[in-house]
Amino acid sequence: MIEIKELKKSFGDLPVLKGMNLTIPSGQATGIVGPNGAGKTTLIKTILGLVKPDSGSICVNETLLNGNWNYRKDIGYMPQVARYPENMRVNELFSFIKGLRNQEPVFEKELIEQFALESELNKPLRTLSGGNRQKVGATLSMMFNPDILFFDEPTAGLDPRSSHKFKERVKEEKANGKTVIITSHIMSELEQLVDHVIFILDGNIRYYGTMKALLEESREDRLEAAIARMMGDDSPAESAAADKPVQNYSNTATEILTF
């Protein structure tokens, strides 16, 4: 479970997170959406410990983030753009990350085969295409079998076949009870992979609830249209959805990164 209370973060005079309160239960698949600059990536990086908040608290699986990094062993993170040492080979990167985490991977071989990376293992990272770099990031995020998975624009740069394989893998992780959090501008992708939606606008959570409820409230059939209403349409349906109080749902009835 991820619990966030009164989280605030500013960069200089620019407030980015404005007192967020949020609970994401274990085993829930959640999509985080919003316009560019809304605070989505800052929120994720704050949870990962890559950005220090100005105030507020974050608990991950009942561990308060106060300098204790052990909770990261339960997290897998696939950034939108990963930065790796350009001269390092792919297999060297995998060995390096295993050493940093001091963990043995559970699904390394399986994921390498699933994403067809066998022929890339001995290549320097600088020679990889954008899509293959994304597949390396996907493999790193899931090969240690973490309980919580963060994917930031995960299919950007992937060809249709690789995108399909990635989404099928995420569905498997979701079925196995993993907590899955995805940020994406591809709404059809979220429709396939998540059940709950968090809509962030200007550093505030404007909606948090099930996708089904959002579609019903906005009177739309597709997530893209429902989100578009909340981003600027002044129709009555938009106002009803955007003014709805933030809800927390539980399941009781997304540089070199070592995640």
Side-chain angles (χ1 to χ4, degrees):
M1 177 182 288
I2 299 172
E3 297 178 278
I4 296 172
K5 296 180 180 179
E6 295 298 323
L7 191 67
K8 295 182 180 181
K9 177 63 183 178
S10 296
F11 293 101
D13 295 329
L14 177 65
V16 179
L17 304 178
K18 303 176 181 178
M20 283 191 178
N21 291 285
L22 177 64
T23 299
I24 300 177
S26 298
Q28 180 171 291
T30 305
I32 301 179
V33 299
N36 294 327
K40 304 184 298 295
T41 298
T42 300
L43 173 62
I44 289 177
K45 288 189 174 182
T46 303
I47 297 171
L48 296 175
L50 301 175
V51 170
K52 184 177 180 181
D54 298 327
S55 61
S57 65
I58 303 172
C59 285
V60 177
N61 292 339
E62 300 183 352
T63 297
L64 180 65
L65 274 60
N66 59 359
N68 179 1
W69 308 116
N70 290 331
Y71 77 98
R72 286 182 170 182
K73 290 188 175 183
D74 295 326
I75 293 177
Y77 173 45
M78 179 183 175
Q80 180 179 3
V81 179
R83 307 294 183 187
Y84 303 123
E86 294 295 289
N87 291 324
M88 186 177 281
R89 299 179 187 275
V90 174
N91 55 4
E92 293 173 339
L93 175 65
F94 288 164
S95 296
F96 179 59
I97 298 300
K98 285 185 279 187
L100 283 178
R101 291 186 68 122
N102 193 27
Q103 288 179 278
E104 285 300 315
V106 178
F107 298 123
E108 180 180 11
K109 183 178 179 181
E110 179 180 328
L111 288 162
I112 287 172
E113 292 176 354
Q114 188 168 16
F115 294 125
L117 284 172
E118 297 96 332
S119 62
E120 309 297 314
L121 293 176
N122 288 315
K123 294 181 180 180
L125 286 153
R126 70 175 183 276
T127 67
L128 266 58
S129 66
N132 281 332
R133 291 174 75 98
Q134 283 292 90
K135 289 189 278 186
V136 168
T139 300
L140 287 171
S141 69
M142 292 184 277
M143 72 183 193
F144 296 99
N145 196 28
D147 293 329
I148 303 172
L149 292 165
F150 286 90
F151 300 113
D152 190 357
E153 302 288 348
T155 61
L158 292 182
D159 60 61
R161 183 170 179 268
S162 298
S163 177
H164 174 72
K165 286 190 172 185
F166 171 80
K167 287 184 277 192
E168 289 301 304
R169 182 71 191 204
V170 172
K171 290 176 184 177
E172 290 178 19
E173 299 290 347
K174 176 182 170 183
N176 289 330
K178 301 296 180 66
T179 303
V180 177
I181 300 171
I182 302 174
T183 63
S184 179
H185 287 96
I186 305 174
M187 298 298 100
S188 60
E189 181 173 278
L190 295 179
E191 288 175 340
Q192 297 176 60
L193 299 176
V194 306
D195 306 307
H196 289 70
V197 177
I198 297 169
F199 174 61
I200 299 176
L201 185 65
D202 294 330
N204 293 300
I205 297 175
R206 293 286 298 276
Y207 179 87
Y208 177 26
T210 65
M211 188 179 303
K212 179 181 178 181
L214 175 58
L215 295 176
E216 289 175 351
E217 291 165 13
S218 62
R219 303 170 197 166
E220 296 288 353
D221 296 325
R222 302 301 299 270
L223 180 60
E224 183 177 54
I227 295 299
R229 283 183 178 272
M230 289 195 289
M231 287 178 65
D233 193 328
D234 59 359
S235 68
E238 183 275 337
S239 299
D243 294 340
K244 181 180 173 64
V246 171
Q247 303 177 54
N248 288 333
Y249 286 78
S250 73
N251 284 346
T252 57
T254 331
E255 50 205 271
I256 286 216
L257 299 165
T258 60
F259 300 102

